[in-house]
Amino acid sequence: MNIVVCVKQVPDTATERKLRSDDKTLDREAADGVVNELDEYAVEEALKLKEAHGGEVTVLTMGPGKATETIRKVLAMGADKAVHLSDDALHGSDALSTSYAMAQALKKIGFDLVVLGSESTDARTGVLAAMLAERLGVPQLTLANKVEVNGSAIAVQRLTDYGYDKVEASLPAVVSVVEKINEPRYPSFKGIMAAKKKPVETLGVADAEISADQVGLANAWSEVVDFAVAPPRAAGTVVKDEGDGGAKIAEFLASKKFV
Amino acid sequence: MSEILVLVEHVDGDVKKVTLELLTLARSLGTPAAVWAGPGYSDAAKAKLAEHGADKIYVADAEEIIGYVVAPKAELLAKLVADKAPAGVLIAATAEGKEVAGRLAVKTDSGVITDAVGLGEGFVADQSIFGGGVNVRSRVTKGTPIVAVRPNSIAPVAAAGAGAEEKVEVALSDAARAARIVERVKQEKGARPELTEAAIVVSGGRGVGSGDNFAIIEKLADSLGAAVGASRAATDAGWYPHQFQVGQTGKTVSPQLYIASGISGAIQHRAGMQTSKTIVVINKDAEAPIFEIADYGVVGDLFQVVPQLTDEIEKRK
Ligand SMILES: Cc1cc2nc3c(=O)[nH]c(=O)nc-3n(C[C@H](O)[C@H](O)[C@H](O)COP(=O)(O)OP(=O)(O)OC[C@H]3O[C@@H](n4cnc5c(N)ncnc54)[C@H](O)[C@@H]3O)c2cc1C
Ligand SMILES: Nc1ncnc2c1ncn2[C@@H]1O[C@H](COP(=O)(O)O)[C@@H](O)[C@H]1O
């Protein structure tokens, strides 16, 4: 099975994240880049499926040059090769253009299964998997906490507001996984050494047959009008429980008319 | 004024509160037209939509629409966008709502904004990003604005609309029928309000210590008519079902009041609750980061403080 796992490099959520004042895009230089935590579950699931059914796992990352760190980590976890979609023309792409560019790259790479995380911790749109399924005309099996492949059939449990749906389709397909699905492995020392020799192909927009007028900040379908650092929440009252903590909260709630 | 499509969220035939919020928002921008997708449409549903300003109600109640993952709803909306040329489309920013918005955006070659917490003239949307650190105003620049709005972003206000019904038939494409839902498993929800819609949410974390102990969180919730939430530590431990998880990978809630007990306030938890209007915290560690966003906090043992609070609330009733 030919599996492509989509992994994004994001600023570490533990550090302060900023928008750039010049073009209002995410400041990727200001913060350390890490593998989007939610994509580690996608990588783990891709590796498990490969271990069970054979085939190959290719990492696809769209992002600046620095994203090679992310690619190395995923190769160290056990992916076989990588495609790095990287071009200055892609800077500032929104969800529409990112999905277009990634769909073009996926067509070029070829796939039986595309696996994504449920959300990127920086953009937090959670739409890319649905958009890719739409663009590629393949089944959307998203928000899965269980994935089973049997020949060309695929079945997932899709988490819903009320529980889960059992969903069936046939390959090729796009899957996104939630963080309840597995426990991502750590790269081993051997894995880290082996990763250095694994092939990483860099694709620019022309290589992936991406029209430059459909990507990048100037061609985005949406724009940031303005932004401001949120004013800090007004400091609240914090008291130590002296045996009357519950009563004090009740008083506070009453003063706010909640009770 | 042009129409603004509002995709109706409904469970068991009942219109959800978020839809009334979206109709209220739509009224400030144009003429609201509700879109009902799937079976279960009734006179009661019609009345509720009309009471909140739906001028039109497009009804596509074929069973088929809910038989496949997301794509049929996007196809239905795309057809209406093509036929009715609305000024915009509003969808609830639930996990599924965002996916519908995403597919619709591709289909109609339109921009999409997810997780709006406000929406003003020109469809300029307010968003709160980076765990609440930055406020952004953004807008769609191409196509029909598609905006996914977070539940509880505004209070629903009634205002009568004509509620004129129009049946809509969609011939689903093969692509929309590619991911078949073969079974729906409903896990018990109980009598409490739904997490994302509740005015008050009472959450417990690792400090609660066990699934059985969640009973004290539930009691407090019930005294306030609140929904129960949980941190990931609590859902991962199996103390509370996953669909009650609040945070980055759980539900995003924006209630009037959020009470966090035994939760440290990791950035991933805060990402799902920091737009709550009032935040109350109970934690025995005075250094817990959750206190930074508390309007009122008690440093203490939740096993003492929570039951006392529940009693005090009951006394005041
Ligand atoms: C990719 C990713 C996604 C994530 N998504 C989410 C998410 O959606 N939601 C989420 O919540 N987390 C999420 N997390 C996890 C998050 O980082 C934290 O680990 C989690 O929120 C911690 O839960 P907690 O606050 O209950 O536990 P802890 O951090 O262990 O805090 C427990 C708190 O309880 C207090 N306490 C203990 N006993 C008592 C007592 N008797 N009385 C009073 N206080 C007591 C302690 O002082 C402590 O502050 C995610 C993490 C990752 C990596
Ligand atoms: N630039 C990117 N490169 C590779 N994968 C991405 C990229 N952006 C998003 N993804 C994938 O899409 C998922 C959803 O992201 P989003 O829609 O941005 O929240 C992520 O978990 C990743 O798997």
Side-chain angles (χ1 to χ4, degrees):
Chain A
M1 194 165 34
N2 186 0
I3 306 171
V4 181
V5 59
C6 299
V7 178
K8 187 180 187 182
Q9 185 180 53
V10 297
D12 192 342
T13 37
T15 60
E16 194 195 346
R17 291 167 291 172
K18 294 191 210 139
L19 293 179
R20 279 164 52 161
S21 52
D22 54 352
D23 67 359
K24 302 176 197 139
T25 62
L26 177 65
D27 191 341
R28 295 189 188 276
E29 298 304 315
D32 285 340
V34 297
V35 177
N36 177 31
E37 289 154 315
L38 295 169
D39 295 349
E40 293 186 14
Y41 302 88
V43 173
E44 179 63 34
E45 202 57 25
L47 294 173
K48 278 199 171 135
L49 287 167
K50 174 192 148 171
E51 283 155 10
H53 303 281
E56 226 183 16
V57 174
T58 306
V59 190
L60 172 60
T61 294
M62 168 170 149
K66 190 176 156 192
T68 43
E69 303 155 9
T70 285
I71 289 174
R72 287 293 162 205
K73 170 153 186 206
V74 179
L75 291 174
M77 285 172 78
D80 300 290
K81 59 190 175 66
V83 173
H84 186 179
L85 186 54
S86 186
D87 198 308
D88 289 343
L90 295 167
H91 169 75
S93 292
D94 65 354
L96 268 289
S97 13
T98 301
S99 65
Y100 162 69
M102 301 248 310
Q104 291 302 99
L106 284 164
K107 283 182 206 162
K108 192 170 160 73
I109 299 166
F111 61 88
D112 298 307
L113 189 63
V114 182
V115 189
L116 293 91
S118 56
E119 190 174 275
S120 53
T121 55
D122 55 351
R124 293 205 68 198
T125 59
V127 295
L128 198 68
M131 285 182 164
L132 286 179
E134 176 70 39
R135 291 196 187 272
L136 296 165
V138 301
Q140 172 190 332
L141 302 144
T142 45
L143 305 173
N145 77 340
K146 189 171 176 189
V147 178
E148 282 171 332
V149 173
N150 194 343
S152 67
I154 177 163
V156 309
Q157 280 188 7
R158 167 180 168 83
L159 291 192
T160 62
D161 280 348
Y162 46 80
Y164 60 89
D165 287 350
K166 290 188 178 172
V167 182
E168 293 178 2
S170 26
L171 299 178
V174 171
V175 165
S176 80
V177 303
V178 299
E179 97 287 1
K180 305 274 179 226
I181 194 168
N182 57 39
E183 206 43 69
R185 66 193 69 184
Y186 289 101
S188 64
F189 179 70
K190 214 172 120 215
I192 294 167
M193 297 316 287
K196 296 187 173 149
K197 298 191 197 76
K198 289 178 177 171
V200 179
E201 185 188 0
T202 303
L203 293 183
V205 293
D207 307 315
E209 291 176 45
I210 294 166
S211 316
D213 63 357
Q214 301 278 302
V215 293
L217 188 61
N219 302 306
W221 277 257
S222 55
E223 66 172 15
V224 171
V225 178
D226 50 33
F227 68 90
V229 172
R233 268 186 104 95
T237 310
V238 177
V239 299
K240 206 173 157 341
D241 181 29
E242 310 278 3
D244 59 353
K248 282 196 165 143
I249 295 175
E251 248 165 63
F252 171 78
L253 294 182
S255 76
K256 294 272 180 186
K257 308 233 167 356
F258 286 114
V259 289
Chain B
M1 280 222 278
S2 2
E3 268 181 27
I4 295 171
L5 300 181
V6 172
L7 179 63
V8 177
E9 291 267 327
H10 52 91
V11 234
D12 304 328
D14 195 18
V15 177
K16 288 176 61 174
K17 186 167 129 247
V18 62
T19 299
L20 312 181
E21 295 164 10
L22 299 195
L23 287 171
T24 307
L25 260 184
R27 284 204 314 265
S28 65
L29 298 163
T31 309
V35 181
W36 184 282
Y41 184 70
S42 66
D43 286 345
K46 176 189 169 163
K48 202 162 174 185
L49 295 170
E51 269 162 31
H52 287 82
D55 189 56
K56 274 205 188 133
I57 305 172
Y58 297 115
V59 182
D61 56 359
E63 183 81 40
E64 217 191 10
I65 290 186
I66 57 159
Y68 307 92
V69 177
V70 172
K73 288 183 184 164
E75 237 161 59
L76 164 66
L77 288 170
K79 178 184 155 68
L80 287 169
V81 167
D83 292 353
K84 312 288 175 187
V89 183
L90 305 187
I91 299 176
T94 58
E96 174 155 326
K98 290 197 275 186
E99 293 186 333
V100 173
R103 291 191 78 124
L104 177 64
V106 171
K107 278 183 184 296
T108 58
D109 196 27
S110 300
V112 59
I113 289 175
T114 50
D115 274 317
V117 293
L119 192 60
E121 206 164 326
F123 283 85
V124 174
D126 299 310
Q127 290 168 296
S128 162
I129 63 168
F130 301 155
V134 178
N135 293 331
V136 171
R137 293 197 317 139
S138 50
R139 68 185 186 100
V140 165
T141 49
K142 290 192 207 171
T144 307
I146 299 166
V147 185
V149 184
R150 252 184 215 171
N152 272 333
S153 293
I154 65 156
V157 178
E165 278 169 33
E166 188 177 321
K167 273 265 185 194
V168 184
E169 308 280 344
V170 258
L172 294 184
S173 68
D174 288 344
R177 291 202 188 92
R180 300 178 304 279
I181 298 173
V182 294
E183 192 185 337
R184 256 172 245 283
V185 179
K186 297 205 177 184
Q187 284 160 347
E188 230 184 305
K189 163 175 164 285
R192 295 192 186 93
E194 196 180 303
L195 187 51
T196 55
E197 305 223 310
I200 305 179
V201 174
V202 176
S203 285
R206 199 192 308 272
V208 175
S210 74
D212 289 343
N213 290 347
F214 255 82
I216 69 162
I217 299 295
E218 290 182 328
K219 272 200 194 123
L220 174 57
D222 292 341
S223 75
L224 289 161
V228 173
S231 73
R232 178 169 163 197
T235 59
D236 275 0
W239 301 343
Y240 225 68
H242 73 81
Q243 67 266 40
F244 297 96
Q245 182 174 317
V246 171
Q248 167 117 39
T249 45
K251 300 272 158 58
T252 300
V253 299
S254 214
Q256 295 299 321
L257 172 63
Y258 189 87
I259 304 183
S261 301
I263 293 177
S264 62
I267 183 97
Q268 295 92 349
H269 187 79
R270 283 154 62 158
M273 47 67 73
Q274 45 79 22
T275 51
S276 304
K277 302 338 169 257
T278 300
I279 297 172
V280 170
V281 168
I282 300 154
N283 193 306
K284 68 179 181 194
D285 174 11
E287 302 298 315
I290 189 99
F291 281 116
E292 289 163 22
I293 55 167
D295 295 290
Y296 197 87
V298 169
V299 180
D301 185 351
L302 72 91
F303 296 103
Q304 306 296 324
V305 178
V306 172
Q308 187 180 69
L309 172 57
T310 310
D311 285 348
E312 286 291 328
I313 291 167
E314 294 295 351
K315 269 193 234 158
R316 283 167 193 262
K317 276 186 180 165

